[in-house]
Amino acid sequence: VKVEDDPLNCKKMCAKNTKPFTVFVEGNIGSGKTTFLEHFRRFEDITLLTEPVEEWRNLNGWNLLDLMYKDPPKWAMTFQSYVSLTMLDMHRRPTDTPVKLMERSIFSARYCFVEHMMRNGTLHPAQFAVLDEWFRFINHNIPIAADLIVYLKTSPSIVHERIKKRARSEEQCVPLTYIEELHKLHEDWLINRVHAECPAPVLVLDADLDLSQITEEYKKSEHQILRKAV
Ligand code: DGT
């Protein structure tokens, strides 16, 4: 894809952005990303952007997340297209605080979820190629700020239990093998660095701990995140 100018007008959109210190919170399904974000709600001067799962569950009345789990070959492409759009919206959203905390990113969508769907054949190679071209186009032409990644590292068996307990209706049939494969893809991206690209330094936290102990673990990241907020 060759881009001459600034077709998406992102320079103008950027001018409104205050360039906050931007943190992506990453980790397997059920690793506690939302809980981590909630931990920072008590502090001032931080914008929290939780993942748009509710938008994925209701696009003009359609539950894309459910359609994707029920018939992956038919709906994966549609679902991932919409995930990319909603993620890009979060990346581009201007803030008036010095710190912005985001649940996931366009990078985990590509390197974990789309990668998985490509490897297991859920996405046809042609569908994968289109999603990958969109990702490259966005990545090269739209500024996506990233200053730190907090990786909530977990054991697949522990998050699998949590997913069963929280009983989100769409996730009832999620097998342990899927969680193990997603775990490996997060590790490859954030720890083993198999993709050329990791957009920011990675802080790894032990997110296996249960709720009574996890606050102490979350506090380990406060220094790096909050010093930008003062
Ligand atoms: P948490 O707070 O760590 O428990 O986070 P979750 O599990 O609410 O959020 P997440 O992003 O790990 O999973 C959201 C659901 O969407 C989950 O069923 C997996 C599914 N999913 C499929 N493809 C994608 C994708 O590209 N991105 C994300 N974020 N989720 C996807």
Side-chain angles (χ1 to χ4, degrees):
V1 175
K2 191 157 179 256
V3 184
E4 304 297 340
D5 251 315
D6 185 15
L8 299 180
N9 207 9
C10 49
K11 283 184 193 142
K12 193 172 159 203
M13 282 155 61
C14 249
K16 290 185 193 161
N17 205 319
T18 54
K19 296 213 182 339
F21 183 79
T22 302
V23 182
F24 301 159
V25 183
E26 302 282 1
N28 210 338
I29 302 174
S31 56
K33 296 178 289 297
T34 309
T35 317
F36 181 87
L37 261 79
E38 284 306 317
H39 174 82
F40 284 86
R41 197 171 289 285
R42 71 194 76 176
F43 301 108
E44 285 177 10
D45 280 345
I46 300 188
T47 298
L48 304 177
L49 294 181
T50 50
E51 198 171 43
V53 181
E54 287 316 310
E55 291 176 42
W56 307 344
R57 297 172 105 181
N58 183 3
L59 172 62
N60 299 339
W62 300 105
N63 185 338
L64 295 182
L65 183 67
D66 195 46
L67 290 168
M68 188 272 298
Y69 272 120
K70 285 201 170 122
D71 191 350
K74 183 167 177 188
W75 289 101
M77 175 80 188
T78 310
F79 178 71
Q80 291 304 147
S81 308
Y82 193 53
V83 168
S84 299
L85 177 64
T86 54
M87 281 294 168
L88 187 57
D89 175 49
M90 281 170 67
H91 285 298
R92 307 288 313 133
R93 214 170 292 170
T95 63
D96 52 9
T97 60
V99 177
K100 173 177 173 180
L101 244 64
M102 272 187 62
E103 185 172 354
R104 287 203 184 278
S105 62
I106 205 156
F107 299 97
S108 45
R110 166 63 185 84
Y111 293 138
C112 301
F113 291 93
V114 170
E115 187 74 15
H116 184 266
M117 291 165 166
M118 181 269 289
R119 289 188 192 179
N120 76 355
T122 301
L123 284 171
H124 187 282
Q127 293 175 317
F128 171 74
V130 171
L131 289 172
D132 194 44
E133 279 295 297
W134 265 109
F135 173 76
R136 285 165 193 266
F137 177 87
I138 291 166
N139 207 11
H140 290 144
N141 296 293
I142 303 179
I144 293 182
D147 297 292
L148 178 70
I149 295 177
V150 174
Y151 173 33
L152 301 179
K153 188 178 166 97
T154 49
S155 308
S157 56
I158 289 186
V159 286
H160 192 241
E161 281 307 310
R162 284 186 201 157
I163 293 166
K164 283 197 278 184
K165 272 196 203 131
R166 84 174 165 197
R168 192 183 269 163
S169 57
E170 298 87 351
E171 294 172 348
Q172 280 323 285
C173 300
V174 169
L176 178 59
T177 48
Y178 176 56
I179 299 301
E180 286 169 342
E181 286 157 10
L182 275 183
H183 171 74
K184 173 94 176 37
L185 288 164
H186 280 83
E187 292 278 304
D188 281 350
W189 172 40
L190 297 171
I191 307 287
N192 305 325
R193 308 290 175 103
V194 303
H195 301 285
E197 187 165 21
C198 182
V202 178
L203 172 69
V204 183
L205 297 183
D206 177 1
D208 273 349
L209 300 169
D210 63 29
L211 274 178
S212 61
Q213 297 168 300
I214 200 74
T215 308
E216 284 309 307
E217 188 67 11
Y218 288 168
K219 280 186 177 161
K220 290 183 186 166
S221 67
E222 282 180 9
H223 170 67
Q224 283 193 49
I225 295 173
L226 294 176
R227 70 193 164 126
K228 308 291 176 183
V230 290

